[in-house]
Amino acid sequence: MLHFSLPRTLGAAFAAATLLLAACSSEKQADAPPVASDERMVAPILTTEDAKDVHSYARPEIARVTHVALDLVTDFDAKRIGGTATLDIQAAEGAREIVLDTKGLDVRSVTNGQGQMLPWKLGAADENLGAPLTVQLNGAKQIRVTYRSAPDAAALQWLAPEQTSGKKYPFLFSQGQAILNRTWIPTQDSPGIRQTWEARIVVPAPLKAVMSAQNLMPEGEEVEGGRAFHFKMDKPVAPYLIALAVGDIAFQSLGPRTGVYAEPSMLKAAANELVDTEKMVEAAERLYGPYQWGRYDMIVLPPAFPFGGMENPRLTFLTPTILAGDKSLVSLIAHELAHSWSGNLVTNATWADFWLNEGVTTYIESRIMEEVYGRERAAQLIELGWEELEAAIREAGVDSPSTRLHLDLADRDPDEGMSSIAYDKGAAFLRTIDRAVGRQRFDQWLRGYFDRHAFQPITSALFLADLRQHLIQGDEALEERLRLDEWVYEPGLPGNAVVVRSESFRAVDQAAQGFALGSPAASLAFPKWNYAERVRFLNALPRELPTERLTALDTAFGLSKSTNSEVLFAWLQLAIANRYQPAVPALERFLTTQGRRKFVAPLFESLVAQGEWGRPIATRIYAKARPAYHSVTTGTVDQILSEESGDEAAEAGAAN
Ligand code: BES
Ligand code: ZN
């Protein structure tokens, strides 16, 4: 066994690497001396019951993937990506096979490292999980899978030139979280099984490829059939964080460690919007210790990208809908950057503990915002989140299990766990502890938590154990006051939740009340408000307003023409609630020019809720918009449109 020295914070992470098969407690992992089993960093896995991933076929306790080497060619005509995945494997003594996750992959062959055929079998496919690929190891320490993805691979979106901003070249991007990467990479697709990785990607000239890893040759090299790009990620990451984008991509530096990629026609706007990124990295480091990933770059993708942002290591993927022109929506960057600690460094072991990624990140997001833009702006965002949390709990019901932080996702698509509960209840939990113990002490604990669990998976139980061991330290009064288990395992919102209020919102709420009672639009301070105040105002208005009041608002403030996607979204929600026909063209434009699920799905939901007025509009617009959406978005909207709305259900009931 080879020993080598690791940076202090990494030491603990790799300590348990050799304990692969031992049922190791968190204490053991935290305190064992640094050991590495070979030259590559091998991260530990958890073997407790609560760390068992119901969304993966992998059985890492028998054999696990430690490194993935991809050698792939993109075929834009066939919408396939194909080639080989060479996997390094650590197997338990006597282990005969390894199980990988796949979905829709066309597997040609599996060999060992020397090219000798190995027996393999694809099991029955589950609609959500895909099919297990079981390979007989015959002693192999490395296996090579030759395969190609299906044209409808859920992770991949192949965009025609018309769907890009340049309109000249096609574009491809991947979205791995939560369990989509198995549609283009045959590996163990579980967030608790970290892997280092490398890739060689051949794309047609003159396109470029970028990935969530070190870019070894940014200009690529000429090869037969196009250009080859090379990438390397030498820190072990959860496999959902492997990401690829291919297109007409240019780069602009923003700071020593930061920069942005985008299509050439978007690059200037992107760079202007994101100028504060380096400051954010510095702020985050002051709070939580060194940024561990080298560079922090971003790529602004075409508008079909289904999320606001995705925290792919070293290369955050972004929707262009955050380019408001005035930097007003950059809290999303703070959020994705925060994942460099919560999510990418310390990763939920299973999707049942998704809140450990998103809730901790949402808390850090507002800390970064406070550092860079001050307390009031951070407070506004917290209060907007609070508003969403209250709505989510109201909608689900305070007793609903879906309002717990720790979720039971057995037999469910992990996507279903992705609500504002994980984000905003999770953040409220951390804020409550922060307030109870004092910020200095809490910061010290959180920073230590990242150090102790760096490059390791985490569960709710381990999180609470760490809190108790390193923060509460036997203080019974504090333990009682915090109500930790209630926060994590019970539905609803514990009574000790700290509520943060923005001062400026009080005036906004008053203005909304005044307007609802009939005061003129011209008397509103709307033009002076920032985006958060505008959104707050629109959300605070009663859902029923006379048509002329809506017209007065739209005329005075050009809401239907708003270039701020969040303001436009809030306005369109209000308009739909009122069946306000004049806003329908703006609604149609918004739904057909971007595919971000957070905007698209609720708008379709609201339309459907408007029964005989809204459903025909929804159906008509969706027919036009759907071909341009990513599978993540169509998956949700298909479901919304296939369900009966409340109205319709009532009508059907009355008819019976
Ligand atoms: N990691 C998430 C996106 C995600 C969640 C992808 C679940 C797949 C499954 C990302 O960090 C995120 O939360 N994005 C938000 C923005 C954020 C500011 C709330 C989004 O996309 O809107
Ligand atoms: Zn997030």
Side-chain angles (χ1 to χ4, degrees), residues 175 177 307-309 311 335-336 339 354 358 418 423 596:
Q175 165 60 40
Q177 197 180 9
F307 292 103
E311 67 271 23
H335 179 97
E336 305 313 333
H339 275 304
F354 181 60
E358 297 301 341
M418 286 150 195
Y423 290 80
R596 183 174 172 189

Side-chain angles (χ1 to χ4, degrees), residues 4 6-7 9-17 35-45 64-68 90 188 190-198 212-213 232-242 292-293 313-314 339-341 343-348 453-457:
F4 65 98
L6 288 160
T9 53
L10 295 189
F14 304 113
V35 184
S37 58
D38 60 33
E39 286 181 25
R40 259 187 203 125
M41 297 173 175
V42 177
I45 55 158
R64 62 168 291 201
V65 175
T66 60
H67 182 77
V68 179
Q90 254 190 15
Q188 293 179 321
S190 172
I193 310 176
R194 308 179 83 92
Q195 296 146 44
T196 52
W197 63 274
E198 65 194 284
S212 50
K232 188 171 122 196
M233 172 49 74
D234 54 15
K235 308 259 164 85
V237 296
Y240 72 88
L241 293 170
I242 304 176
Q292 300 264 17
W293 305 92
R314 294 179 65 102
H339 275 304
S340 305
W341 285 263
N344 297 358
L345 203 54
V346 182
T347 310
N348 53 211
H453 300 274
F455 299 101
Q456 295 176 67

Side-chain angles (χ1 to χ4, degrees), residues 461-478:
L462 281 176
F463 178 88
L464 293 180
D466 192 282
L467 260 177
R468 291 190 163 108
Q469 188 183 347
H470 296 281
L471 185 67
I472 299 174
Q473 299 179 314
D475 180 339
E476 280 171 31
L478 178 60

Side-chain angles (χ1 to χ4, degrees), residues 396-461:
V398 278
D399 298 326
S400 165
S402 68
T403 65
R404 294 177 186 152
L405 288 178
H406 176 74
L407 295 169
D408 178 7
L409 293 174
D411 300 321
R412 289 162 62 195
D413 186 331
D415 224 39
E416 288 176 35
M418 286 150 195
S419 75
S420 127
I421 302 294
Y423 290 80
D424 298 307
K425 181 177 174 182
F429 177 33
L430 266 65
R431 229 175 281 124
T432 300
I433 309 171
D434 162 342
R435 190 68 67 85
V437 302
R439 187 158 266 194
Q440 207 188 350
R441 212 174 131 198
F442 185 68
D443 285 355
Q444 198 183 4
W445 170 77
L446 189 50
R447 186 177 176 146
Y449 163 83
F450 291 129
D451 285 349
R452 286 184 291 277
H453 300 274
F455 299 101
Q456 295 176 67
I458 190 87
T459 60
S460 284

Side-chain angles (χ1 to χ4, degrees), residues 248-261:
D248 181 18
I249 296 168
F251 176 77
Q252 185 166 329
S253 169
L254 297 169
R257 283 178 295 181
T258 50
V260 61
Y261 294 89

Side-chain angles (χ1 to χ4, degrees), residues 398 400-401 403-405 425 485-494:
V398 278
S400 165
T403 65
R404 294 177 186 152
L405 288 178
K425 181 177 174 182
D485 294 300
E486 184 184 344
W487 269 100
V488 174
Y489 298 110
E490 300 296 326
L493 206 52

